[in-house]
Amino acid sequence: MKIDIHSHILPKEWPDLKKRYGYGGWVQLDHHCKGQAKMMKDGKVFRVIQENCWDPEVRIKEMDLSGVTVQVLSTVPVMFSYWAKPQDTLDLAQILNNDLAATVKKCPKRFIGLGTLPLQAPDLAVKEMHRCVNELGFPGVQIGSHVNEWDLNAPELYDIYAAAEQLNCCLFVHPWDMQIDGRMSKYWFPWLIGMPTETTIAICSMIMGGIFEKFPKLKVCFAHGGGAFPYTAGRIFHGFNMRPDLCAVDNNVDPRKYLGSFYTDSLVHDRGALRLLTSVIGEDKVILGTDYPFPLGELEPGKLIDSMEDFDNKLKDKLKAGNALEFLGLNRKQFE
């Protein structure tokens, strides 16, 4: 069994958001030719996507070819729209969540949904989280690595974490809104360097900001193998103990305590990196994730895990399915 925790999906179409809300900055799809569409933002091409990004039947064919049993579906992070007026972001989140729920309902043995929330308005976000779990049947939501000027330790987000604990709603943290100008404007750096940096900041903010201390039942998974965190963990722990006056200002608990308290996906593209990741984060806390259907993802789902000669079959099954089921709070029999 293979369960892919990290895959993105969009509706085939949605309303003209500039007309709907009265201002720009929104993404629209331009179906310029059969099987492809341009993601347009204020008249400029953001990304060209293929039909596997919106067509569930195409996805299932590709899943069958690559042996993926279940995809956990979440929106493309550019759709988070935390920058917009809260009521408008809520409206868009509901459009996306309703479409996602309809896709999951058609193929409940192949798809699981993670909703999206208007995090810049925590009161609205909590209400939509309740709807995602109680009405749409999602086991969790996807959130960005920061919310405008708030990192993930912001007190404004505490009500969201409390609601997630209450609802047993897991959180999949995806980097977004990376720096794209200046020194980061070349060589695809926002995606190659900026995304891992965003994820590392998100993990450290939650650890040093005391989020895992205040909300010990919170289930959180970070994308892209936890960014640079697994490799820099030793430096972070050492720095915490050398300069508590700078690092322990919000939480005086040694960061090492929280290893094993959160999950990451497996998307690291390198055997040595995956070996380190499972060693640092924990064999029970790493989950197959591919970033389907995008080119920076693992194009052959599970190939890296299967290539690990020093991982036995029990561990490989944990990484490919068991840990995902534990994170999502679901039963293997639902998908057999």
Side-chain angles (χ1 to χ4, degrees), residues 73-287:
L73 306 175
S74 53
T75 194
V76 180
V78 72
M79 304 299 287
F80 287 155
S81 306
Y82 302 148
W83 53 269
K85 294 176 183 176
Q87 201 65 44
D88 299 336
T89 304
L90 173 62
D91 181 64
L92 176 57
Q94 291 178 339
I95 290 170
L96 297 170
N97 292 338
N98 291 345
D99 183 83
L100 180 54
T103 298
V104 172
K105 189 175 181 180
K106 287 177 188 171
C107 304
K109 286 187 175 288
R110 306 306 303 271
F111 297 133
I112 297 166
L114 297 179
T116 187
L117 306 174
L119 288 184
Q120 74 272 41
D123 55 334
L124 298 180
V126 167
K127 289 177 183 175
E128 183 63 10
M129 181 188 287
H130 276 266
R131 194 179 77 93
C132 283
V133 174
N134 294 329
E135 295 181 30
L136 302 184
F138 297 161
V141 295
Q142 178 184 227
I143 66 172
S145 50
H146 66 276
V147 185
N148 302 325
E149 297 303 312
W150 301 338
D151 280 311
L152 295 186
N153 61 318
E156 290 87 349
L157 300 175
Y158 287 2
D159 286 348
I160 293 168
Y161 299 144
E165 276 197 326
Q166 177 198 342
L167 293 165
N168 197 27
C169 175
C170 58
L171 307 178
F172 182 67
V173 179
H174 198 293
W176 89 299
D177 194 30
M178 306 81 67
Q179 182 185 342
I180 59 173
D181 57 2
R183 295 168 63 212
M184 295 293 284
S185 62
K186 295 190 295 186
Y187 310 133
W188 214 17
F189 274 179
W191 274 259
L192 301 184
I193 299 171
M195 280 193 162
T197 301
E198 275 291 322
T199 303
T200 308
I201 293 172
I203 293 174
C204 290
S205 294
M206 294 189 90
I207 288 175
M208 293 185 183
I211 300 305
F212 297 119
E213 195 68 23
K214 292 179 179 74
F215 305 98
K217 296 178 183 175
L218 200 62
K219 292 196 291 185
V220 186
C221 179
F222 298 91
H224 307 142
F229 178 82
Y231 189 75
T232 53
R235 179 182 179 87
I236 292 163
F237 301 155
H238 179 71
F240 179 91
N241 289 304
M242 289 298 97
R243 293 300 306 266
D245 56 314
L246 299 176
C247 301
V249 292
D250 292 323
N251 180 22
N252 62 9
V253 178
D254 190 317
R256 285 185 188 275
K257 174 194 170 183
Y258 302 106
L259 294 179
S261 298
F262 57 88
Y263 296 78
T264 75
D265 73 15
S266 64
L267 189 55
V268 292
H269 303 288
D270 179 87
R271 282 196 287 270
L274 183 60
R275 193 172 290 112
L276 176 70
L277 178 64
T278 54
S279 173
V280 173
I281 301 300
E283 294 181 352
D284 294 331
K285 299 296 179 181
V286 178
I287 303 172

Side-chain angles (χ1 to χ4, degrees), residues 286-298:
V286 178
I287 303 172
L288 172 64
T290 69
D291 213 352
Y292 176 99
F294 298 130
L296 255 182
E298 185 176 33

